[in-house]
Amino acid sequence: MYTKPILIFLILVCGTSLLGQTRLESEEYAVYASVLKSIYEHNRDTYSNKSEFVIINQTMIDPEVEMPSEKKYRSLINDFNRANLFSAVIERNFPPGEYSETYHLVSQAEIDELNEKGRIEYKQRFAKDRLDPTIINPGGVRYTVFFEKYPESSGYYSPSRVGFSGQHAVVQVKGDLGWRGFSRFYLLKKLNGEWQITNFGGIEWIS
């Protein structure tokens, strides 16, 4: 008796999910490029390697980041929330820019696998090193497995989809850089055809 309504519901849900998996807009990649350029410039001051970007190929948001609540940003945040109802696939469509010689798109499953291998190796090294009183830092570095595969990277990054309102945009980017990291929102404004960061905020951590 309820077959038809249930079928319609399933079609709507699946159809909406598929829409969420469509290709990102070119303007979203332009916003990503501006933010990555800023991060890259900071990384080059901090790291001696090339600071290549490793980017998770599925958009995601961090609910712990407090987004701007001012009334002037209401429509912008509303569009951000709408855009991020479903994640989208990130492809190799970043425009050229001074934000890394190259970048790698990887799945969350690969990151989880590398982190798990690193955790196991660290645990084994720690158990062995703690028996030697001359070793000051038992276990050494936790993140060797990831950086063995991506030696020129500074860590890996997870961007959200972008919210737009007129000439303004907002995006979240989470960066896991091994022993430290951040999760931020970036506010941008389009000036002379280019997206420029006007403000950012969020959380930082050291492990």
Side-chain angles (χ1 to χ4, degrees):
M1 183 171 70
Y2 297 101
T3 303
K4 188 174 181 180
I6 292 174
L7 180 61
I8 294 173
F9 173 77
L10 290 174
I11 291 174
L12 289 173
V13 170
C14 294
T16 305
S17 297
L18 289 174
L19 287 174
Q21 293 296 323
T22 56
R23 298 175 64 184
L24 295 170
E25 300 174 6
S26 60
E27 282 298 286
E28 292 186 86
Y29 286 102
V31 169
Y32 291 157
S34 294
V35 173
L36 291 177
K37 180 179 179 180
S38 174
I39 295 173
Y40 181 70
E41 290 173 351
H42 175 75
N43 286 349
R44 297 301 291 129
D45 292 335
T46 307
Y47 300 94
S48 59
N49 58 14
K50 295 179 181 179
S51 300
E52 295 173 355
F53 283 109
V54 175
I55 302 169
I56 294 179
N57 64 2
Q58 199 88 8
T59 63
M60 62 185 71
I61 63 171
D62 185 349
E64 294 186 3
V65 174
E66 186 175 344
M67 302 295 285
S69 58
E70 291 90 335
K71 186 177 180 180
K72 62 181 179 180
Y73 297 126
R74 184 175 299 168
S75 62
L76 184 61
I77 299 303
N78 285 342
D79 190 71
F80 173 86
N81 291 333
R82 178 202 57 77
N84 284 280
L85 285 173
F86 300 96
S87 64
V89 176
I90 300 174
E91 301 175 283
R92 297 192 65 84
N93 292 333
F94 290 83
E98 298 176 2
Y99 52 83
S100 183
E101 294 184 14
T102 187
Y103 60 91
H104 310 273
L105 294 179
V106 304
S107 67
Q108 182 65 57
E110 178 183 340
I111 293 296
D112 292 342
E113 182 180 357
L114 292 173
N115 285 340
E116 178 61 14
K117 287 181 178 178
R119 186 191 68 80
I120 293 173
E121 286 193 6
Y122 174 80
K123 187 176 180 179
Q124 292 172 342
R125 289 196 308 268
F126 183 84
K128 180 180 178 181
D129 292 350
R130 68 194 300 253
L131 300 176
D132 187 344
T134 64
I135 297 179
I136 300 176
N137 183 26
V141 181
R142 292 174 183 260
Y143 311 96
T144 54
V145 173
F146 173 85
F147 289 108
E148 282 172 359
K149 183 163 186 178
Y150 299 104
E152 298 297 336
S153 74
S154 55
Y156 58 90
Y157 299 82
S158 307
S160 70
R161 293 207 66 172
V162 183
F164 295 98
S165 179
Q167 298 299 301
H168 298 270
V170 63
V171 66
Q172 279 187 5
V173 177
K174 184 175 182 179
D176 194 318
L177 313 180
W179 58 273
R180 68 182 185 89
F182 65 84
S183 194
R184 304 180 188 134
F185 70 82
Y186 290 86
L187 292 169
L188 302 95
K189 184 175 183 180
K190 199 168 191 179
L191 299 171
N192 300 321
E194 294 185 1
W195 289 103
Q196 299 182 20
I197 297 172
T198 59
N199 200 1
F200 67 91
I203 53 179
E204 316 271 335
W205 67 83
I206 297 177
S207 60

